[in-house]
Amino acid sequence: MKHTDEGALQALLDGELTPAQAAGVEAHLASCSACAAELEGLRAARGRLSSALALADAVPPMLATRA
């Protein structure tokens, strides 16, 4: 069985695949626990990165009170 590469999994998460490509990747994921686990790892990493970026964009409380 040929596994889906990380680039294709990331493209799926980013909505960059054509409908036919996405259907092919999703069909593979339905039968391959290794690739499904890799996709979940990428989703988790994306969530952690989004959280870190949100914290980096936050205004520190001491600066928010200055006007």
Side-chain angles (χ1 to χ4, degrees):
M1 172 189 317
K2 184 176 185 250
H3 293 287
T4 303
D5 66 47
E6 184 177 330
L9 293 174
Q10 190 63 54
L12 178 68
L13 284 176
D14 294 341
E16 297 174 345
L17 298 179
T18 66
Q21 290 170 324
V25 171
E26 289 168 356
H28 175 76
L29 292 171
S31 64
C32 181
S33 60
C35 289
E38 180 72 19
L39 180 64
E40 288 309 309
L42 290 171
R43 274 194 183 118
R46 172 186 265 188
R48 289 189 304 272
L49 178 59
S50 292
S51 295
L53 290 174
L55 288 173
D57 286 341
V59 177
M62 61 195 270
L63 295 178
T65 58
R66 294 183 186 179

